[in-house]
Amino acid sequence: MKITVEEDKCCGAGQCVLVAPEVFDQRDDDGIVVVLHQTPPQEQYENVREAAAVCPAAAIEVHE
Ligand code: SF4
């Protein structure tokens, strides 16, 4: 699995961080998403898929 994000789309809602805090973080200054693990460990796959699904801006792309 590989994760990419479109920062332009991200509105800083933070849903991804709530669902998968070990994989996503937010920049301190503007709240834009930061991917901590672009190729996350397998035990995070479900959380990552859910984070992509709940992102209101559809900014997270999961490549499997
Ligand atoms: S849930 Fe989507 S819009 Fe919100 S911080 Fe994460 S990537 Fe950005």
Side-chain angles (χ1 to χ4, degrees):
M1 174 184 281
K2 186 163 188 282
I3 303 166
T4 56
V5 296
E6 289 190 58
E7 290 186 4
D8 290 352
K9 285 187 180 176
C10 175
C11 60
Q15 296 298 319
C16 55
V17 182
L18 290 176
V19 173
E22 293 181 26
V23 179
F24 299 101
D25 199 355
Q26 289 172 276
R27 293 202 300 238
D28 286 339
D29 49 345
D30 56 10
I32 299 300
V33 65
V34 175
V35 181
L36 301 175
H37 301 288
Q38 287 200 316
T39 53
Q42 193 159 6
E43 65 263 23
Q44 290 294 324
Y45 284 9
E46 279 305 311
N47 289 346
V48 170
R49 291 187 191 114
E50 188 179 346
V54 299
C55 173
I60 301 170
E61 278 197 37
V62 178
H63 312 271
E64 309 222 32

